[in-house]
Each structure stands twice: as C-alpha cells, then as structure tokens.
Amino acid sequence: MIELRHLRTLIALRDAGSLVEAAERVHLTQSALSHQIKDLEERLGTALFVRKTRPVEFTRAGQRLLVLAEQVLPLVRMAERDVARLIGHEPGRLHMAIECHSCFQWLMPTIDRFRDHWPEVEIDIPGGHHFDPLPALAREQLDLVITADPQPLTGVYYEPLFRYEGLLAVARQHRLAEHSFVTPSDLAEETLITYPVEHARLDVFTQFLDPAGVRPREIRTAELTVMMMQLVASGRGVCALPNWALTEYLERDYVKAVGLGEAGMWSTLYAAIRDESRDQPWMEDFLRTARETSFAVLEGIKPA
C-alpha cells in the first residue's frame, strides 16, 4: 500500500513547503505529484495534509507517515550502500576542485556526511594547484570539479546539482539599495568587487555586463566573502554573489541585495565527473548527498 516513492514525496513536501517546489525536487509535474498523493490518500482512506496551507500542514496521519519516512529511507539507503560494497567494488578516490569560492558552506557538511558512510573512499581537496581543474579532471588528476561553467570535454559528464540566483550586494545607504533590480548601465559608475578569478568565470560578467557591453568604473578583488561584505557595507563598492552566500549578511541587515536584471540572473551549479565514474556507487551517493545537503542548508536555491 505504501511505497518508497510515497515516503520520498512526503519528505519533499515537508521540506519544500509547497506542491510546486516538492514536485521539482522529486522531478515530477505538479499534476503527477498531486495524483500520486491523492492515490495514496484514497488507499489509506484519509487526508495526509491540509490543502492550501503554506508551509504545508500535515494531518495526524501525514505526520505518522513522515515519522515512518524518517525511519525507513535512511535504512534503505544504508542497505543500498552495503549491497554496493558486497558486490566487490574497489575503494574509490575522490580528489576534487571547487571553482566556487562560496561553495564550502554546503560542501563541507556534504563531505562530512559522505565520509561517515564511505570511510574507505580517499577524499582530498588539493590546494595550490596551478592547472585548470576541468582539463585536469579529464586527465584523471582530479575526480570531481564543482563548477558553474561547464566546458565541452571528451569523457567529462556534468551532473546538475541546483540552480541559484546571483544578487548584487550594496551598502544599506547606497543609491541602488531600494531598487528591486538593477540594469547593466547602473553599474557603469560603480566599483565592482569580485573574487580574484578570470572575468570569463564570473556570471556577473558573462551573463550580465558583457552582453550589454558595460564595464564598471573600477574592479577590485578580495579573497574572502567576509572581506567583500566589509568593503560593500562601508560603501567601497558593490559585489555580485550567489543568493545563499548573502543570506547571513541579509539576516543581520549588514547589506542590501538587489536583483540583477528584471528577470534575475540564474545559473546552474554542476558536479563535473568522468563518464566512467557515473556508475560507481560511492560517486552516485556523493552526488545525491550533495543535492540533499544543499537543499537542507541553503536558502533560495531551486532544483536543476
């Protein structure tokens, strides 16, 4: 009567808070998800949640199934890992590079969870490398690259993790602080603060400024997000960052955030891996853990 897909759906509905976002997380249309829930309710003879509530308000029956899901789904996943080990796969290696200065907020808890389940996999994030990560992945110097800038490389597969919106951080008293969004021309007289990477790898240039033929008055760099925020808060410039990287600063009212363009500037973050790694059980589990952890710790992201 109750299937694993039903339990996964209820967890998604609880975590997402709405049918629309839950459908995205389980990769179904809203209509298909509604039909699945209605079918389960008819089998059980009771409603599982109160319609038109946000966040979703579960009935006592729905709450009981959520408890079941929290008990059963981790056991199923643990069994899947154990079966993969029994098949006899050799211990893996996961050396990775991150083309994303603000990704450690979700990557570190991902690695911690993954290490608990796959202690035999060798994990490393090599520092100080002087090579392009994606070609190094193709050459087997690396095993995974976190990137928002996929390049067509033979033998490399890009697994989408999630979508995120880039926002412009400005000082609270800045002339743009009360705007709902800015246009490229609004940045022509601004000092733009970026991480010290090539402009071709920054969305604010490739998706926003370059297509409009606009250059900021000045560009300066900072290594750390916290240093960028201090410069922005003191009126020394503006910066574009992923929405999740700004959350703590917005909650403290340290800076203001403005949309980049009327439609917003959305990008997709990928995990790049080699084709032959796609079927490795530990790699599949790492990618799944990365998605689950991201949605648990980050705000404002969407399924890719």
Side-chain angles (χ1 to χ4, degrees), residues 115-179:
R115 187 186 294 113
D116 288 342
H117 298 300
W118 296 91
E120 68 272 28
V121 175
E122 176 190 326
I123 304 174
D124 194 12
I125 305 177
H129 48 72
H130 302 286
F131 50 76
D132 290 335
L134 289 173
L137 172 67
R139 294 193 302 267
E140 300 188 14
Q141 291 176 266
L142 295 170
D143 307 296
L144 182 146
V145 177
I146 303 297
T147 181
D149 183 27
Q151 303 172 17
L153 291 173
T154 301
V156 172
Y157 170 75
Y158 295 93
E159 176 74 17
L161 297 175
F162 56 81
R163 296 179 66 235
Y164 62 92
E165 184 181 11
L167 297 173
L168 187 73
V170 301
R172 290 181 298 169
Q173 68 276 14
H174 195 279
R175 64 183 180 89
L176 300 174
E178 300 305 319
H179 289 216

Side-chain angles (χ1 to χ4, degrees), residues 1-278:
M1 181 179 290
I2 300 173
E3 303 174 24
L4 291 178
R5 65 190 178 103
H6 296 138
L7 300 181
R8 294 187 177 106
T9 291
L10 292 175
I11 291 291
L13 188 58
R14 180 200 63 189
D15 293 346
S18 73
L19 277 172
V20 174
E21 295 182 18
E24 290 181 342
R25 294 196 183 191
V26 296
H27 306 291
L28 293 174
T29 64
Q30 184 181 348
S31 174
L33 185 69
S34 297
H35 180 78
Q36 182 190 117
I37 295 173
K38 184 178 179 181
D39 177 63
L40 178 59
E41 289 177 328
E42 290 178 350
R43 295 190 198 184
L44 297 172
T46 185
L48 297 176
F49 66 96
V50 180
R51 265 58 178 179
K52 297 182 180 180
T53 57
R54 186 179 177 94
V56 175
E57 180 182 338
F58 287 89
T59 63
R60 292 180 62 186
Q63 292 171 6
R64 179 62 185 90
L65 290 189
L66 281 173
V67 172
L68 176 65
E70 291 173 343
Q71 295 171 338
V72 169
L73 293 179
L75 292 175
V76 170
R77 189 152 172 194
M78 186 183 301
E80 290 173 344
R81 296 187 185 106
D82 291 341
V83 169
R85 290 187 178 93
L86 291 172
I87 292 174
H89 290 286
E90 295 182 0
R93 185 195 77 168
L94 186 54
H95 290 189
M96 65 183 80
I98 300 93
E99 293 186 337
C100 169
H101 281 67
S102 53
C103 280
F104 287 97
Q105 185 174 346
W106 60 267
L107 184 61
M108 290 300 100
T110 294
I111 291 175
D112 289 341
R113 287 182 59 191
F114 177 79
R115 187 186 294 113
D116 288 342
H117 298 300
W118 296 91
E120 68 272 28
V121 175
E122 176 190 326
I123 304 174
D124 194 12
I125 305 177
H129 48 72
H130 302 286
F131 50 76
D132 290 335
L134 289 173
L137 172 67
R139 294 193 302 267
E140 300 188 14
Q141 291 176 266
L142 295 170
D143 307 296
L144 182 146
V145 177
I146 303 297
T147 181
D149 183 27
Q151 303 172 17
L153 291 173
T154 301
V156 172
Y157 170 75
Y158 295 93
E159 176 74 17
L161 297 175
F162 56 81
R163 296 179 66 235
Y164 62 92
E165 184 181 11
L167 297 173
L168 187 73
V170 301
R172 290 181 298 169
Q173 68 276 14
H174 195 279
R175 64 183 180 89
L176 300 174
E178 300 305 319
H179 289 216
S180 57
F181 66 90
V182 297
T183 63
S185 60
D186 288 325
L187 302 189
E189 297 301 317
E190 297 293 334
T191 296
L192 182 64
I193 306 166
T194 73
Y195 294 115
V197 299
E198 299 174 8
H199 294 172
R201 290 171 49 194
L202 294 172
D203 295 339
V204 67
F205 286 102
T206 60
Q207 294 192 42
F208 191 65
L209 295 174
D210 290 350
V214 173
R215 298 288 291 178
R217 180 186 62 188
E218 182 183 348
I219 300 171
R220 65 177 297 178
T221 62
E223 291 277 354
L224 302 175
T225 303
V226 64
M227 294 303 299
M228 297 172 77
M229 290 298 96
Q230 289 180 357
L231 291 169
V232 169
S234 60
R236 304 290 296 278
V238 300
C239 72
L241 289 174
N243 48 5
W244 82 77
L246 289 172
T247 299
E248 64 173 297
Y249 301 100
L250 296 175
E251 290 177 346
R252 290 160 44 195
D253 199 28
Y254 195 65
V255 297
K256 296 288 187 179
V258 185
L260 290 161
E262 187 172 5
M265 186 182 75
W266 287 85
S267 303
T268 300
L269 197 68
Y270 298 88
I273 60 177
R274 288 187 300 279
D275 283 333
E276 65 266 23
S277 300
R278 293 176 63 182

